[in-house]
């Protein structure tokens, strides 16, 4: 069990637990973290159950990285979304948030490079968009990773 300390938009410490958690638990924890630093957060999981442990672990790391980026670069007191959808054919993660005007923000930074590397292992894709201060990330991964209908 290790912890990774980072800084949120207010300069407070963010603790990312590396202890194994389920994806629903992780999303609930992230929602609470985002709300605690002033975001109006929505974090949801819908669709099929993911069976492959490494896939769950990787998706958990991806949503934690997205949440860290929201807390570092996002505008508190605005909406922040992290939506995870598991369909019969693919796994999708979508996030959107308003970026702070004073954020030192590079849409091709280390966190995104790390996410792209992890997704490449799964044959997945990552797309980003910055439009009028609204930043979004869209991730898709093929179904062939152990998705079971519940």
């Amino acid at each position: 069990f290790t912890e990774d300390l980072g800084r949120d938009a207010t300069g407070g410490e963010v603790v990312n637990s590396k202890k194994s958690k389920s994806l629903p638990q992780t999303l609930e924890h992230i929602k609470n973290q985002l709300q605690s630093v002033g975001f109006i957060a929505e974090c949801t999981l819908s669709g099929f159950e993911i069976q492959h442990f490494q896939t769950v672990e990787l998706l958990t790391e991806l949503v934690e990285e997205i949440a860290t980026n929201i807390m570092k670069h996002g505008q508190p007191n605005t909406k922040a979304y992290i939506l995870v959808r598991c369909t019969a054919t693919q796994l999708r993660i979508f996030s959107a948030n308003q970026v702070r005007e004073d954020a030192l923000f590079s849409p091709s930074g280390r966190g995104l490079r790390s996410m792209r590397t992890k997704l490449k292992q799964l044959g997945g894709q990552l797309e980003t968009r910055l439009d009028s201060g609204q930043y979004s990330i869209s991730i898709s991964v093929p179904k062939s990773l152990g998705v079971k209908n519940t």
Side-chain angles (χ1 to χ4, degrees), residues 7 42 68 80 104 106 109 126 148:
R7 298 273 174 205
E42 180 181 335
T68 297
L104 298 173
S106 170
L126 181 145
K148 177 184 173 187

Side-chain angles (χ1 to χ4, degrees), residues 90-93 119 122-127 138-142:
Q90 65 182 336
L91 308 172
R92 295 195 49 91
I93 300 172
L119 285 165
L122 301 174
Q125 296 180 324
L126 181 145
E127 295 177 10
S138 180
I139 294 172
S140 62
V141 181

Side-chain angles (χ1 to χ4, degrees), residues 64-137:
E64 286 177 340
E65 179 65 31
I66 289 168
T68 297
N69 287 344
I70 291 170
M71 287 184 266
K72 285 182 180 178
H73 306 293
Q75 177 64 48
N77 302 312
T78 62
K79 292 181 181 178
Y81 301 94
I82 300 176
L83 313 172
V84 180
R85 172 89 173 125
C86 305
T87 71
T89 59
Q90 65 182 336
L91 308 172
R92 295 195 49 91
I93 300 172
F94 176 78
S95 74
N97 64 282
Q98 193 70 30
V99 178
R100 287 190 342 265
E101 289 181 24
D102 66 341
L104 298 173
F105 181 72
S106 170
S108 60
R110 286 190 324 238
L112 285 174
R113 280 195 300 270
S114 172
M115 282 192 265
R116 281 192 171 95
T117 299
K118 291 173 184 178
L119 285 165
K120 187 175 181 181
Q121 299 168 12
L122 301 174
Q125 296 180 324
L126 181 145
E127 295 177 10
T128 61
R129 182 176 178 158
L130 180 61
D131 185 21
S132 299
Q134 183 77 16
Y135 186 71
S136 63
I137 297 176

